[in-house]
Amino acid sequence: MRNWLQVHPFVVLLLPLIAGILLCNYTGFPFDLQHKKQADFPDFTGTYEAIIQDYPVEKSKTFRYTARIGNRDIYLYLHKDSTRIFPEAGDVLSVRTRIKMPDSIGTFDYGTYLRRQGIMGQAYAASAHWQIIGHTNGGILVFARRLQHRLIERYRELGISGAELGTLSALTLGYREDLDPDIKRSFRRSGAAHVLAVSGLHTGIIYTVVLALLTGFGYWKPLYEERKRRMVNGLVVITAMAFYALLTGLSPSVCRSVLMLSIIEYAYMSYRRPTAVNTIAAAAFFILAFRPNDLFSVSFQLSFAAVISIMIFVPLFKQIIPLPNRRWTKPLRDTLNIVSVSLAVQIGTLPLSLYYFHQTCNYFILTNVVVIPLALVITLLAFATLTIGWIPFVGTVLAFPLKWLVWALNYYTAFIESLPGAFASF
């Protein structure tokens, strides 16, 4: 028992942390995690100074911004007006408005949902009630948003637009605001929604590519074994993954993946062997220690349920269907690995999917056998396009197949959705 505690210390720390978060949430002692006291904004119209944190999301009659007032984030809706120049990330506005939390939508407590996303209110301002009064760098998050949108504009410059641009932005940069609603529904109903959540697939690519570059694709591996070089390489890899997590919005799934890979790399830097159980427990511990509300996030729950299920069931499936490690069996082993992972993820996330979304996907294996390899190729090609696409003609050459591969991904998920009995609602 003592040896188990020494190997898995974060498992022991995680359980009381979760218990404490649940205690605070459901009793309000010593503080209320959900801020149910309406985020301390006065219940009347006033003038506020707001710093724009993100680029706008276009609605039918407004543009929605994430704005910071004091140390609180809100959704600020600005009425569309063709005569106005609308703000960008980092702009400082003077806004006359009233900030409040939205009412429930049926049985859905939308206010609590927003608070769990870190949004402490929402406000609307007509054209005459706001003006840009300055600009600020806005900190590292605003810088990340600017870079994110600059990369999306790069996709546009290379001729990628419409539904393909929305899917590609979600798949590689974690920006889902331009995602077509029909495509989003197709991904959800076909069982492919997980590829739109930036997570292990994407950070794993970053990890592999950066490590390959630092080791000369294996040729410099003896140098990598040196302690100082290994430490420098490890720090570069961890920094690269952290920057990518920041670029994609620090969602629970990407934070989980980056933390797990960082812990693994730290273990290698320290000449230790990481254990899967302790690694995932450490990732959950650090996320919840800094963002306890993520415990109630659907993304957090689905992400960790999927990874834990993979850890439990994939080794069992490999024991049930053993295949010899021969070159001629590699395509079959790769296919069975995808099927095993898909089945394990479905088992782990099915209770949550039924509880939150009241539906399940019936052809998820047929979907993932095609979607996972296709998403891997798209992600690699997209990263190459963004990295070396500035070279004359190279960007155009890379963007052409990239656009059609994204089109094929959208088409295939829509095809699976159209099959009889593709999904079941409860």
Side-chain angles (χ1 to χ4, degrees):
M1 181 66 178
R2 184 177 179 180
N3 290 336
W4 191 92
L5 295 179
Q6 291 176 343
V7 176
H8 304 96
F10 281 102
V11 178
V12 181
L13 293 172
L14 182 63
L15 296 179
L17 175 62
I18 292 177
I21 293 172
L22 292 173
L23 178 68
C24 293
N25 183 68
Y26 292 111
T27 67
F29 177 84
F31 57 89
D32 187 353
L33 289 174
Q34 301 309 322
H35 301 286
K36 294 176 182 175
K37 295 182 179 179
Q38 300 249 347
D40 298 328
F41 289 114
D43 192 20
F44 56 80
T45 301
T47 301
Y48 300 91
E49 185 176 287
I51 302 175
I52 301 299
Q53 301 293 304
D54 205 346
Y55 283 77
V57 177
E58 186 172 2
K59 303 295 183 180
S60 59
K61 297 182 180 180
T62 61
F63 289 108
R64 190 194 75 193
Y65 290 86
T66 301
R68 175 155 295 179
I69 298 177
N71 61 350
R72 308 277 192 176
D73 287 342
I74 68 165
Y75 278 155
L76 177 61
Y77 294 84
L78 301 182
H79 186 76
K80 287 182 178 179
D81 187 342
S82 58
T83 65
R84 298 294 304 269
I85 297 177
F86 279 81
E88 297 181 351
D91 285 342
V92 182
L93 305 186
S94 176
V95 185
R96 183 165 178 77
T97 187
R98 178 187 176 192
I99 304 172
K100 60 180 182 178
M101 291 304 298
D103 298 326
S104 299
I105 304 174
T107 58
F108 177 55
D109 189 348
Y110 187 50
T112 297
Y113 169 79
L114 289 183
R115 284 187 288 267
R116 287 174 177 171
Q117 310 305 312
I119 303 299
M120 310 313 298
Q122 62 178 13
Y124 167 82
S127 298
H129 293 165
W130 66 269
Q131 62 177 340
I132 301 175
I133 60 173
H135 187 80
T136 178
N137 290 330
I140 192 168
L141 287 176
V142 173
F143 168 77
R145 292 295 178 271
R146 287 181 189 146
L147 181 57
Q148 184 185 60
H149 280 263
R150 209 170 287 169
L151 295 177
I152 293 173
E153 286 300 318
R154 184 60 183 155
Y155 284 144
R156 287 196 179 96
E157 292 169 2
L158 294 172
I160 303 173
S161 59
E164 288 76 29
L165 177 63
T167 302
L168 187 61
S169 298
L171 181 65
T172 59
L173 299 173
Y175 186 78
R176 305 179 66 175
E177 304 299 344
D178 292 337
L179 193 61
D180 186 274
D182 292 335
I183 291 176
K184 187 186 296 185
R185 184 197 64 223
S186 296
F187 273 83
R188 186 175 64 251
R189 291 183 174 180
S190 64
H194 60 91
V195 302
L196 297 178
V198 177
S199 57
L201 174 70
H202 311 78
T203 52
I205 291 173
I206 297 290
Y207 178 84
T208 303
V209 170
V210 174
L211 191 60
L213 292 173
L214 291 172
T215 58
F217 295 90
Y219 289 106
W220 302 337
K221 196 169 184 181
L223 295 176
Y224 176 71
E225 298 301 326
E226 298 177 4
R227 180 176 292 272
K228 290 183 179 179
R229 185 178 178 85
R230 173 176 285 204
M231 290 185 65
V232 171
N233 286 359
L235 291 174
V236 172
V237 170
I238 292 172
T239 302
M241 290 190 298
F243 180 76
Y244 181 66
L246 182 68
L247 181 65
T248 56
L250 296 175
S251 67
S253 58
V254 76
C255 286
R256 182 265 309 159
S257 179
V258 167
L259 281 171
M260 288 182 66
L261 289 173
S262 297
I263 292 167
I264 290 171
E265 187 61 24
Y266 174 76
Y268 290 148
M269 290 165 59
S270 307
Y271 292 88
R272 298 176 182 177
R273 178 173 295 180
T275 59
V277 173
N278 195 51
T279 300
I280 192 171
F285 175 82
F286 286 120
I287 291 174
L288 294 178
F290 289 97
R291 301 197 313 195
N293 269 330
D294 279 357
L295 180 63
F296 310 100
S297 165
V298 179
S299 176
F300 177 91
Q301 295 172 15
L302 288 174
S303 177
F304 279 91
V307 174
I308 293 171
S309 184
I310 289 172
M311 290 169 47
I312 294 173
F313 291 105
V314 169
L316 294 178
F317 296 152
K318 289 184 177 180
Q319 292 177 6
I320 294 173
I321 311 177
L323 287 176
N325 191 11
R326 301 287 188 272
R327 182 175 297 178
W328 61 271
T329 64
K330 189 176 187 307
L332 182 57
R333 282 188 284 113
D334 291 343
T335 302
L336 286 177
N337 282 339
I338 294 175
V339 172
S340 298
V341 170
S342 301
L343 188 58
V345 169
Q346 187 72 6
I347 293 172
T349 59
L350 181 61
L352 293 172
S353 298
L354 294 177
Y355 178 77
Y356 287 113
F357 309 118
H358 310 291
Q359 68 178 29
T360 183
C361 312
N362 297 325
Y363 300 142
F364 60 92
I365 292 180
L366 184 61
T367 298
N368 288 301
V369 166
V370 175
V371 165
I372 291 178
L374 193 55
L376 177 61
V377 174
I378 290 171
T379 305
L380 285 169
L381 192 56
F383 289 163
T385 302
L386 294 175
T387 304
I388 62 175
W390 56 270
I391 301 174
F393 302 110
V394 173
T396 304
V397 171
L398 293 174
F400 181 78
L402 178 61
K403 178 179 179 179
W404 285 103
L405 286 172
V406 177
W407 176 87
L409 180 65
N410 290 340
Y411 178 84
Y412 185 75
T413 55
F415 167 72
I416 296 295
E417 181 199 13
S418 68
L419 295 177
F423 66 98
S425 299
F426 298 92

